[in-house]
Every structure is written in structure tokens, then in C-alpha cells.
Amino acid sequence: MNPIFLKPTLKTLIWGTEQWGISGHPSGDDEILNEEFAGKTLSALWAEKPELFGNVSGDRFPLLTKIIDAKADLSIQVHPNDEYANKNENGSLGKTECWYIMDAEEGATIVIGHNAKDSSEVKSMIENKKWNEFIRVIPVHKGDFFFIEPGTVHAIKGGTVILETQQSSDITYRVYDYDRLQDGKPRQLHVKQSIDVIKAPFENKEAPLNNEKTISESKNVRQLVSCEFFTVWYAKLENQLSVEQNYPFLLCSVISGQCEFAGKKLAKGDHFILPSGFGKAEFSGNAELIFSSL
């Protein structure tokens, strides 16, 4: 049984770049690089070879891994949950996501949460454009981690690079976009939808964990979050690392350094999937990796 290697989808946007490293979403359906699946995309492989993914139910590959390189600030935004997205966005999934900060310039910040005391104040602050009062800006450093539930106001800001693990959804509601123009016109905002879904007041909660979900006995591997949609682990590879794949599938991204795995030399920005039943995976080299599964 072989790992499934992917060719990421690259996107250039008004604020920087996105690499959709593991994606079966229609907006960026990654090509499979393995010879036995030549020409297929991840969504096609999910549909045609469900046994590779533990025969997990669902009509779409459920997760999406991105590397986001923000040269400028992203919009102030919020995502809906499954119920709201299914009803209002043609059956889409909602968007629960998390960020591992791969790099951050000195003094970099991000937006997580807001300062409104209730939903009526959310509406008032947005409609009256009280952005400095409304948004909650915090410092960010390399190695930080953030779990972002639907209904959380957030924004990646310039000078940060993140590895994002999320539900396979492309639904984003822009609350505010700094009055920027794209092709001579203001970018579309989604004020009504944003007010509908923003949770108030904001609660700054720790990421949930599940100690029963493990992939390695190494002290260099730690769980970052475990929620109903995904579990994510960080691993620091120092010479050798063994990972046990006992999940329907296990996603892997190299976020720094270089390593060897399955006869291939891998570096930052390489992504692959360990299919169901893969068992033990042996890595060598010096690198940082992010793993995720259901």
C-alpha cells in the first residue's frame, strides 16, 4: 500500500497566496501524483476508491489543508456552521478551521473574536462601522495555534504564514474589507449573513483535546486539537520518527525542513495521504510536520 501524493492547487489573491495542499473541493481539486491514479483528482479517488479512505460515509472528501502566505491583511470574516451553510449555501458544509502559525514577522497580529457584549451590539457596531471598537486584535508568533469555530470573527493579517486544517468548505462571509478595491470595484461583503452567524459574546476557549487519539509514542508529537470534524497533531522530526496510521486516513504536510519517507525526499509544501490500513510510517531527516484525520 502506497502513500497518496498530491499536486497542490495554487491561488494568487489580492492579499497573498494560498496553496490548497490536500483538497477535493470543486474550487481546488488536487491532482493525484501516483502513477496508478494518473489523471485522477482527489474527489474522483474518494468516489471511486472509498476503501482507501476507510469507507467513510459522505459525498465529498471531508477535510481541506491549506498553506496561507499573507502579504497583506485578509478581510475581517466569519464562517457559518453546517446547519446554516446547508440551508443557505446550496448544501455546502460549514467551516470549522484551525491555524498553526508557520511563520510570523516581528510584531505581527491577527484578529480572533470581537468585543460586542451581545448580538444587538454586534449588529450596531457593524452597521455603524465601529471596526476599531469591534474587532479583537492579538499578537501572533511562530508556533502559535488557534482553533476557530463557526461564528468566530477572525482575520489573518499581513506578515504571517499558516497551515490551515478545515472542513472542506469555501464559504466565507466578509464582514469588512478595509474598503479595498479589486478590478476597480469594492469586494463583495456579506453583512446580513455575518450578523446572522456571529456568536456573541465572544468566548476565548482552549482547543478541545482527546488523549485517546494518538499517532506516535514520541514526545516530539503532540495533539493540537480534537473536535467532531478533525484531529490535528504537530510533529518535530529529529533524525527518526515512527507514526502509526490507524485511522480511516491520515493527512500529512511538511511545514519546514527536509525529510525522507517512502523513498521520496520531501520538503516544505509537500503533502500526502496515508490511506486506510497503512500501518507504521517511518520518517527520517529534520523537519516539522502537521498530521490530521477525522
Side-chain angles (χ1 to χ4, degrees), residues 15-19 66-75 97 99-112 137-146 148 154-164 178 268:
W15 44 260
T17 60
E18 282 188 347
Q19 183 210 62
K66 298 177 183 175
I67 292 179
I68 297 174
D69 187 352
K71 304 299 186 186
D73 296 353
L74 278 69
S75 60
E97 65 185 52
W99 302 343
Y100 182 84
I101 308 301
M102 295 170 54
D103 202 5
E105 294 178 1
E106 185 176 353
T109 60
I110 58 170
V111 173
I112 300 283
V137 181
I138 61 173
V140 65
H141 306 91
K142 182 178 179 179
D144 287 348
F145 179 77
F146 301 92
I148 301 168
H154 62 279
I156 303 165
K157 293 171 73 67
T160 56
V161 182
I162 74 165
L163 186 289
E164 179 174 287
Y178 317 101
K268 177 181 175 180

Side-chain angles (χ1 to χ4, degrees), residues 214-222 233-246 250 260-261 274 278-285 289 291:
T214 62
I215 56 170
S216 177
E217 296 181 356
S218 171
K219 291 184 291 185
N220 285 346
V221 178
R222 71 178 190 272
W233 298 266
Y234 165 87
K236 187 170 185 179
L237 168 61
E238 295 178 316
N239 299 320
Q240 302 290 327
L241 177 68
S242 293
V243 168
E244 195 68 35
Q245 186 345 39
N246 292 320
L250 188 66
E260 291 192 21
F261 170 67
L274 301 182
F278 187 88
K280 185 171 289 188
E282 301 284 356
F283 297 84
S284 62
L289 306 103
F291 295 92

Side-chain angles (χ1 to χ4, degrees), residues 88-140:
N88 296 281
E89 301 292 348
N90 300 313
S92 172
L93 295 177
K95 192 174 175 185
T96 298
E97 65 185 52
C98 61
W99 302 343
Y100 182 84
I101 308 301
M102 295 170 54
D103 202 5
E105 294 178 1
E106 185 176 353
T109 60
I110 58 170
V111 173
I112 300 283
H114 62 81
N115 297 312
K117 65 180 182 294
D118 55 32
S119 294
S120 63
E121 192 167 52
V122 167
K123 185 173 186 293
S124 174
M125 284 181 157
I126 291 174
E127 290 179 345
N128 289 289
K129 304 183 186 301
K130 295 183 177 180
W131 305 119
N132 290 336
E133 297 175 42
F134 180 59
I135 60 173
R136 179 175 175 267
V137 181
I138 61 173
V140 65

Side-chain angles (χ1 to χ4, degrees), residues 10-292:
L10 301 176
K11 295 174 179 279
T12 300
L13 301 161
I14 190 172
W15 44 260
T17 60
E18 282 188 347
Q19 183 210 62
W20 290 31
I22 304 176
S23 171
H25 192 278
S27 296
D29 199 357
D30 292 348
E31 180 184 343
I32 306 298
L33 294 177
N34 302 50
E35 288 185 11
E36 64 266 40
F37 306 125
K40 292 189 183 298
T41 61
L42 181 53
S43 67
L45 199 63
W46 169 263
E48 297 170 18
K49 298 282 187 180
E51 65 276 10
L52 293 175
F53 307 99
N55 293 301
V56 170
S57 61
D59 62 354
R60 69 202 86 181
F61 189 76
L63 301 182
L64 201 166
T65 299
K66 298 177 183 175
I67 292 179
I68 297 174
D69 187 352
K71 304 299 186 186
D73 296 353
L74 278 69
S75 60
I76 308 298
Q77 57 190 242
V78 65
H79 304 303
N81 61 19
D82 282 353
E83 181 181 5
Y84 189 95
N86 183 64
K87 181 180 179 181
N88 296 281
E89 301 292 348
N90 300 313
S92 172
L93 295 177
K95 192 174 175 185
T96 298
E97 65 185 52
C98 61
W99 302 343
Y100 182 84
I101 308 301
M102 295 170 54
D103 202 5
E105 294 178 1
E106 185 176 353
T109 60
I110 58 170
V111 173
I112 300 283
H114 62 81
N115 297 312
K117 65 180 182 294
D118 55 32
S119 294
S120 63
E121 192 167 52
V122 167
K123 185 173 186 293
S124 174
M125 284 181 157
I126 291 174
E127 290 179 345
N128 289 289
K129 304 183 186 301
K130 295 183 177 180
W131 305 119
N132 290 336
E133 297 175 42
F134 180 59
I135 60 173
R136 179 175 175 267
V137 181
I138 61 173
V140 65
H141 306 91
K142 182 178 179 179
D144 287 348
F145 179 77
F146 301 92
F147 176 57
I148 301 168
E149 295 181 291
T152 302
V153 175
H154 62 279
I156 303 165
K157 293 171 73 67
T160 56
V161 182
I162 74 165
L163 186 289
E164 179 174 287
T165 303
Q166 60 162 91
Q167 289 179 269
S168 185
S169 171
D170 199 26
I171 303 300
T172 294
Y173 296 147
R174 294 192 195 104
V175 186
Y176 177 58
D177 194 45
Y178 317 101
D179 301 317
R180 280 185 292 203
L181 300 180
Q182 186 170 21
D183 299 325
K185 299 178 181 179
R187 298 174 83 202
Q188 182 182 4
L189 300 180
H190 311 89
V191 174
K192 178 189 179 300
Q193 297 96 322
S194 298
I195 292 171
D196 281 349
V197 305
I198 291 172
K199 292 181 179 178
F202 167 69
E203 295 181 53
N204 188 22
K205 298 185 291 187
E206 293 291 325
L209 301 174
N210 182 346
N211 292 330
E212 294 182 2
K213 289 193 170 184
T214 62
I215 56 170
S216 177
E217 296 181 356
S218 171
K219 291 184 291 185
N220 285 346
V221 178
R222 71 178 190 272
Q223 188 182 103
L224 298 174
V225 65
S226 186
C227 66
E228 64 178 301
F229 301 108
F230 47 69
T231 299
V232 180
W233 298 266
Y234 165 87
K236 187 170 185 179
L237 168 61
E238 295 178 316
N239 299 320
Q240 302 290 327
L241 177 68
S242 293
V243 168
E244 195 68 35
Q245 186 345 39
N246 292 320
Y247 295 88
F249 52 84
L250 188 66
L251 313 186
C252 181
S253 301
V254 182
I255 61 171
S256 77
Q258 296 181 330
C259 63
E260 291 192 21
F261 170 67
K264 291 184 177 290
K265 292 185 177 181
L266 304 173
K268 177 181 175 180
D270 287 329
H271 308 265
F272 56 91
I273 302 171
L274 301 182
S276 177
F278 187 88
K280 185 171 289 188
E282 301 284 356
F283 297 84
S284 62
N286 290 277
E288 292 177 289
L289 306 103
I290 296 289
F291 295 92
S292 61

